[in-house]
Amino acid sequence: MAREIMEKAFKALLFVILLYLIFLFMSEGQQVFVYEGF
Amino acid sequence: MILKNIRKNLFFIFFALFFIFSDMAFAKLDYVNKSPMFIPNDYSKTLYEYGTNTFHTAIMGNSTAIAAIRNDLMGAQYGNAAVSYGTIHDFYEMLGRKFIVAEKEVVVCANYLAFLDNWETNPSYPWLREPLVPYVYFYRAATSDYLKENIIHYFNGDNTFFEPVPLYHFQKTIAPGHMTEEELNERKISFEERFGDKTIEDFSKNIAALKKIINFCERNDLTLRFVWMPINPVYDNRPAYIEELNTVVSEILEENQIEFIDYTDSFSPEYFYDLGHISWEEGALVFTGELRKWLEK
């Protein structure tokens, strides 16, 4: 049981990391705003 | 039965928990706005400048307030939290969601552009993140750029992960000098093209936001004051809505007994950089003196 919980927790953690990586790949096209003055 | 269901959905439960808690941690850490390794927006610059988001008197404004107010000449009780492209709605969000905390007083310094709905803005201002949007998703471009750049540097043998961005990024944009007559004329033409077709209807959301600020200050026992920021007298082809907006807003302020001052036509052209921004050298000095006199009278 404990092993099963650990495995699922680890797998979930990997998927969360994957989700964050997907966010970062989605950054294409979103500009970082740099204010160039008046 | 419940235990069986939990066991069956253990992966999704862990996934949701890890995601929610990590998102909360990132949001609390707020690394984009609080870490010097990222180019700061004007809100972050306020935090860096004062080291706090809590002020006895919070000055809320747009770029006209950045250009016109010499923070070093204001007293210690004042915090100038003005942001470029700031609108009245932004000021309400900043105060309402406690990005800026005023202990006693709020001073709103605005010109007509601070009331313009659908005005361009800096999308990295943290109050533009809706509560359910994940932090890393909202700041994905800044995060991704930071990681890409520093990973490349790292593999080239240069560890720049903790290197702050250059110092000049930490200062809000002021307006030194004066535009030439020709440049001012060009600016007048471009303003006519950009804003000439607006009507008072294009300001309605921000007029409503002003009422929200009035209510917010009432609820929180804060004194609210309002300043109409100066416009260069050479801007003589001003659209009619500027006067109309001034009347509508001034009526709202009077109805609610909010003290206000109208500097719209109070400064001569030699104090301006362009049509709406006070020049840093002479103008800001004079304006700051006038503002302090009014605030402390």
Side-chain angles (χ1 to χ4, degrees):
Chain A
M1 179 69 181
R3 187 186 164 87
E4 186 192 342
I5 292 172
M6 289 291 282
E7 272 176 13
K8 287 195 171 167
F10 183 67
K11 213 187 271 181
L13 186 64
L14 287 181
F15 270 80
V16 168
I17 293 169
L18 184 68
L19 184 63
Y20 280 123
L21 287 175
I22 291 169
F23 286 167
L24 298 183
F25 280 110
M26 284 168 79
S27 69
E28 213 57 46
Q30 194 198 28
Q31 297 282 314
V32 175
F33 185 91
V34 179
Y35 185 54
E36 289 176 356
F38 306 116
Chain B
M1 183 70 182
I2 297 172
L3 272 176
K4 207 175 168 187
N5 263 334
I6 290 177
R7 196 171 167 186
K8 205 173 148 192
N9 295 304
L10 211 50
F11 170 79
F12 295 104
I13 293 167
F14 274 127
F15 180 80
L17 282 178
F18 286 154
F19 183 67
I20 290 167
F21 281 110
S22 59
D23 184 56
M24 282 164 65
F26 284 130
K28 181 84 189 147
L29 196 65
D30 195 8
Y31 58 86
V32 173
N33 290 305
K34 291 179 181 163
S35 142
M37 280 83 84
F38 289 83
I39 294 174
N41 56 44
D42 280 352
Y43 170 68
S44 326
K45 290 176 192 174
T46 304
L47 302 185
Y48 285 119
E49 181 177 355
Y50 293 98
T52 177
N53 70 339
T54 305
F55 308 107
H56 176 279
T57 301
I59 298 174
M60 315 301 289
N62 58 6
S63 57
T64 59
I66 296 173
I69 300 172
R70 286 272 304 260
N71 299 344
D72 55 329
L73 301 179
M74 297 295 286
Q77 75 197 71
Y78 299 100
N80 184 358
V83 292
S84 300
Y85 297 112
T87 62
I88 304 295
H89 180 71
D90 288 322
F91 309 153
Y92 172 67
E93 291 285 312
M94 291 163 83
L95 292 165
R97 289 167 64 182
K98 299 201 183 312
F99 286 104
I100 293 293
V101 179
E103 289 171 334
K104 292 282 175 212
E105 194 175 22
V106 174
V107 180
V108 174
C109 298
N111 65 350
Y112 64 100
L113 287 175
F115 281 90
L116 182 58
D117 304 334
N118 304 322
W119 176 222
E120 58 188 295
T121 189
N122 181 340
S124 77
Y125 289 144
W127 51 90
L128 299 179
R129 182 169 80 97
E130 298 293 333
L132 289 178
V133 175
Y135 183 89
V136 176
Y137 178 77
F138 183 73
Y139 283 120
R140 60 193 185 279
T143 310
S144 165
D145 281 3
Y146 167 78
L147 288 174
K148 267 191 250 169
E149 198 180 309
N150 289 300
I151 287 170
I152 290 169
H153 286 171
Y154 185 78
F155 282 108
N156 287 335
D158 188 14
N159 185 352
T160 53
F161 277 100
F162 299 104
E163 210 168 89
V165 294
L167 258 186
Y168 62 82
H169 281 301
F170 292 89
Q171 292 186 340
K172 291 184 187 175
T173 309
I174 50 165
H178 309 275
M179 274 190 170
T180 62
E181 206 179 319
E182 199 181 323
E183 286 170 327
L184 285 171
N185 284 333
E186 274 172 25
R187 188 56 68 93
K188 276 157 75 174
I189 294 165
S190 91
F191 268 37
E192 182 58 35
E193 283 167 3
R194 289 166 73 193
F195 310 118
D197 61 343
K198 306 287 180 206
T199 66
I200 192 74
E201 292 302 312
D202 293 303
F203 299 84
S204 53
K205 287 182 196 158
N206 278 297
I207 294 173
L210 179 66
K211 292 177 187 163
K212 287 186 192 170
I213 294 182
I214 293 171
N215 289 336
F216 172 84
C217 289
E218 256 175 32
R219 277 199 315 274
N220 292 282
D221 204 16
L222 295 168
T223 307
L224 175 64
R225 296 211 243 183
F226 187 92
V227 179
W228 277 114
M229 295 302 281
I231 298 176
N232 193 334
V234 302
Y235 187 18
D236 47 13
N237 60 336
R238 294 179 208 175
Y241 59 73
I242 294 185
E243 187 66 42
E244 220 176 315
L245 177 74
N246 189 308
T247 310
V248 171
V249 171
S250 301
E251 274 172 17
I252 294 171
L253 296 170
E254 275 164 15
E255 267 169 33
N256 291 280
Q257 286 147 7
I258 308 294
E259 204 183 337
F260 71 99
I261 189 159
D262 187 352
Y263 286 127
T264 306
D265 287 308
S266 305
F267 287 80
S268 49
E270 68 263 25
Y271 291 126
F272 283 86
Y273 164 73
D274 60 8
L275 299 180
H277 296 99
I278 288 278
S279 163
W280 187 247
E281 294 88 356
E282 314 90 358
L285 210 60
V286 176
F287 181 87
T288 306
E290 289 293 319
L291 182 67
R292 270 200 81 165
K293 249 190 267 168
W294 179 70
L295 289 173
E296 284 161 14
K297 79 174 177 354

